Amino acid sequence: MANPLNKLIPLRYLPFTLCIFGTLFSFASLELNESPWDSRAWRYFFLFGALTLVGIYDLLQIRMSILRNYPVIGHLRFLLEYIRPEIRQYFIEGDNDEAPFSREQRTLVYSRAKAVSDSIPFGTTLDVMAPGYQWINQSLMPTKLASHDFRVTIGGKDCKQPYSASIFNISAMSFGSLSANAVMALNLGAYKGRFAHDTGEGSISIYHRVHGGDLIWEIGSGYFGCRNPDGSFNAEKYTENAIDPQVKMVEIKLSQGAKPGHGGILPGSKVTPEIAEARGVKVGEACISPNSHSAFSSPLELMHFVKKLRDLSGGKPVGFKLCIGHPWEWFGIVKAMLETNITPDFIVVDGSEGGTGASPVEFTNHVGTPLQEGLRLVHNTLVGVNLREQIKIGCSGKIISSFDMAVAFALGADWCNSARGFMFSVGCIQAQVCDTGFCPTGVTTQDPGRQKALVVPNKAERVYNFHNETLKALKELVEAAGLNHPGEIDAPHIVRRINKNEVRLLSVLLPEMPAGQLLKNEPISESLNLPRVYNLYWNKSQASSFNAKKA
């Protein structure tokens, strides 16, 4: 039965009504008091008066329906919505709820970055019977390794300056997305730990050069740092940066896991003099990254571009990064390698789990191939055309722990990159406001005041510690498995649970391509248990175009 009072004055207006009565009552108290400014009534008058004005504004405004229906009290909804992520993170989230990184994963990074114990008492909190649970089999004859400084030499047959890289490096993040202090802390940590720092497509800023840490210069479709005024590639500017001794490798970004197939724009209002200098644009001019390159338009042209960049750099390792999309495009690139006899020195496979680039929800959630399938496809394809020994493979995509690295090695990687892992090491708390400029820890902001919260020497030490302690943990995993180097970890070493009663070796679930198989130009036997993608698209791909052949 309807409440008669609610018909006269809807209960949703009750808070607003109480504010009006509070204003009138406090005003009356002031009138009756001989010394009104000595009483507390004026405070209540201003408080309730202000809330009454808010309520009047809520009723008159037309943008928000909830405030028109719930004046004053409706603002509580927006307050709760605003602090919801913090409430969930600190009070509701479980230790293993990944959103996108679990409390346990973040705590692991924080502990290692601080060089304190990362041990867990009383056993695992993971459900070892859950589908997808993975482990590495240990040996009854563990090895004893002298060092955890595992390295891989990157540089193919045409490379004159091969690079001895750590197997764990900082993934691509640009200055402009990261603060100056964050860039300096990451680079100083990389210098101390002798590992590489990828610049991201925002090019090499003055802050990358302060401490002299090894750089991987990433070149995207905007050609920042090596561009003409119209946005096209400029060979002279490229050479000037590429021959710098601090630049150890050059990486062409074809796509990234966070937003594959999507370009980007940095509004002119955010283009400061420092960003403009690094990117080679005018101050206040919007930085546009198209969703495709203008320097090449086919796999063959891509290979010639790789050769051009390698020659102009004086023979440094040159490769490319991509998140796998249409498989025939990737197969076309491989066919171009065979046709031109030009090979990249390395390929970085970025999984769609990547997340340091803000992008539309649809791209974040539903575009691009996850790391597992992308990495295995790239590895198997190169094995199938006998090019795997010439080309090193890096990978990135939610890699935090040494076990994450072990699984990546089992899938075919030679080294791993981490972006958000190193962001955690410099203080990121996963507030997920990276694109707003209001980062609470000064990591992803250009606000000078907020950046001061990030003290470079202190955070650089944590970057170094995170890298160092993670490789120490990897060394222990390698020793436990009876191996001598992470590169020896293969798919048969990893086991994955299918259901409560079945487990499978990773080598059974994701078999390896026989060497040279794709060169036979014959259908792949079903007995090899390989994905059908090879039979479906290998013969439809072409070196001369990224398009598939028409039937």
Side-chain angles (χ1 to χ4, degrees):
M1 188 173 178
N3 188 334
L5 180 60
N6 194 44
K7 287 185 177 181
L8 180 64
I9 302 178
L11 291 179
R12 63 180 185 272
Y13 291 150
L14 180 60
F16 178 44
T17 304
L18 291 176
C19 290
I20 294 174
F21 278 117
T23 303
L24 296 174
F25 181 77
S26 55
F27 179 76
S29 298
L30 288 172
E31 289 294 315
L32 296 173
N33 198 315
E34 294 181 358
S35 302
W37 296 107
D38 293 334
S39 72
R40 294 182 180 179
W42 67 270
R43 301 177 188 176
Y44 295 115
F45 173 72
F46 283 121
L47 173 63
F48 286 114
L51 290 174
T52 299
L53 291 175
V54 168
I56 294 171
Y57 172 79
D58 291 344
L59 289 171
L60 296 177
Q61 60 85 35
I62 59 174
R63 290 181 61 246
M64 298 180 183
S65 301
I66 195 167
L67 295 182
R68 287 172 64 84
N69 270 335
Y70 296 88
V72 181
I73 195 65
H75 289 275
L76 183 61
R77 183 259 184 193
F78 295 104
L79 172 63
L80 294 174
E81 183 181 55
Y82 181 75
I83 65 173
R84 177 186 177 276
E86 288 77 12
I87 296 294
R88 183 186 186 281
Q89 185 178 90
Y90 293 121
F91 301 108
I92 300 173
E93 171 184 271
D95 284 346
N96 295 307
D97 293 342
E98 297 187 24
F101 289 91
S102 69
R103 166 64 63 179
E104 185 173 279
Q105 289 173 309
R106 301 195 303 274
T107 299
L108 176 66
V109 178
Y110 299 148
S111 297
R112 288 180 173 167
K114 296 173 185 177
V116 300
S117 175
D118 58 9
S119 300
I120 297 178
F122 223 63
T124 182
T125 59
L126 301 178
D127 182 358
V128 300
M129 302 302 288
Y133 174 77
Q134 297 182 122
W135 68 90
I136 185 170
N137 281 331
Q138 82 283 5
S139 171
L140 290 175
M141 296 292 292
T143 53
K144 186 67 176 177
L145 305 183
S147 171
H148 60 275
D149 184 22
F150 303 115
R151 309 196 79 78
V152 57
T153 300
I154 304 171
K157 57 185 176 59
D158 298 316
C159 178
K160 297 177 182 178
Q161 300 184 53
Y163 176 53
S164 177
S166 171
I167 62 169
F168 189 40
N169 301 292
I170 301 171
S171 197
M173 295 179 285
S174 300
F175 167 61
S177 296
L178 294 184
S179 68
N181 284 15
V183 169
M184 288 191 288
L186 290 170
N187 195 257
L188 179 56
Y191 176 80
K192 295 183 66 174
R194 297 176 58 243
F195 56 99
H197 178 190
D198 195 311
T199 65
E201 70 172 309
S203 193
I204 307 169
S205 71
I206 56 174
Y207 301 109
H208 287 97
R209 301 184 189 275
V210 172
H211 300 292
D214 290 353
L215 295 178
I216 301 172
W217 181 20
E218 183 178 89
I219 299 175
S221 56
Y223 304 111
F224 299 126
C226 57
R227 60 185 267 140
N228 293 309
D230 64 356
S232 60
F233 176 73
N234 183 300
E236 291 182 4
K237 292 181 179 179
Y238 165 79
T239 304
E240 185 180 340
N241 272 327
I243 62 174
D244 186 330
Q246 190 181 354
V247 175
K248 303 302 182 183
M249 304 199 299
V250 178
E251 175 183 278
I252 305 165
K253 191 191 88 167
L254 302 182
S255 59
Q256 69 181 97
K259 47 181 177 181
H262 191 278
I265 181 169
L266 183 66
S269 59
K270 294 186 177 181
V271 180
T272 64
E274 296 160 324
I275 292 174
E277 180 186 358
R279 301 194 179 199
V281 299
K282 296 179 181 178
V283 176
E285 179 182 282
C287 289
I288 299 173
S289 296
N291 56 10
S292 63
H293 280 260
S294 60
F296 54 86
S297 59
S298 70
L300 288 174
E301 291 178 3
L302 170 59
M303 288 303 103
H304 288 295
F305 189 59
V306 167
K307 182 180 185 302
K308 180 178 181 178
L309 296 190
R310 186 160 49 214
D311 292 343
L312 291 173
S313 72
K316 292 182 179 180
V318 174
F320 56 82
K321 177 179 83 172
L322 82 168
C323 176
I324 292 293
H326 293 309
W328 60 81
E329 295 178 344
W330 158 242
F331 291 156
I333 293 173
V334 176
K335 287 185 174 180
M337 297 178 197
L338 297 172
E339 187 172 321
T340 61
N341 197 31
I342 300 171
T343 55
D345 297 292
F346 65 91
I347 298 170
V348 175
V349 183
D350 204 11
S352 60
E353 304 95 320
T356 56
S359 65
V361 168
E362 293 84 358
F363 280 79
T364 297
N365 292 340
H366 302 293
V367 180
T369 303
L371 180 60
Q372 172 182 280
E373 287 72 22
L375 177 56
R376 199 58 171 169
L377 179 70
V378 169
H379 169 76
N380 271 343
T381 307
L382 295 179
V383 169
V385 296
N386 292 331
L387 289 178
R388 183 63 182 88
E389 295 303 315
Q390 299 182 38
I391 302 171
K392 293 296 190 289
I393 300 177
C395 71
S396 53
K398 291 191 77 170
I399 293 174
I400 289 289
S401 70
S402 59
F403 183 73
D404 295 334
M405 295 176 67
V407 174
F409 294 134
L411 292 170
D414 293 302
W415 86 88
C416 298
N417 295 332
S418 178
R420 287 169 289 183
F422 282 101
M423 285 178 67
F424 289 141
S425 74
V426 294
C428 170
I429 59 171
Q430 195 170 273
Q432 295 178 276
V433 292
C434 310
D435 58 330
T436 66
F438 297 110
C439 174
T441 57
V443 179
T444 60
T445 179
Q446 298 305 306
D447 183 327
R450 288 178 177 269
Q451 286 189 53
K452 290 180 181 178
L454 199 160
V455 180
V456 173
N458 174 268
K459 299 306 182 186
E461 188 67 23
R462 294 191 181 192
V463 170
Y464 166 78
N465 287 339
F466 171 56
H467 176 269
N468 191 54
E469 296 300 321
T470 301
L471 289 187
K472 282 183 180 179
L474 179 63
K475 171 178 172 283
E476 293 178 348
L477 276 183
V478 171
E479 290 174 333
L483 305 173
N484 295 299
H485 191 277
E488 297 177 10
I489 300 175
D490 210 346
H493 291 104
I494 306 296
V495 188
R496 180 178 297 168
R497 181 169 294 284
I498 306 303
N499 55 51
K500 288 189 176 182
N501 300 310
E502 294 181 279
V503 300
R504 295 281 190 279
L505 293 177
L506 208 58
S507 56
V508 174
L509 296 172
L510 300 166
E512 178 150 326
M513 173 81 70
Q517 178 67 44
L518 292 173
L519 298 177
K520 296 178 181 179
N521 290 319
E522 61 184 33
I524 295 175
S525 171
E526 291 186 5
S527 64
L528 295 176
N529 199 30
L530 289 164
R532 294 184 62 212
V533 65
Y534 302 101
N535 282 338
L536 286 173
Y537 298 119
W538 177 255
N539 289 328
K540 292 183 179 181
S541 63
Q542 49 189 336
S544 60
S545 174
F546 285 113
N547 295 323
K549 293 178 183 177
K550 294 183 179 179

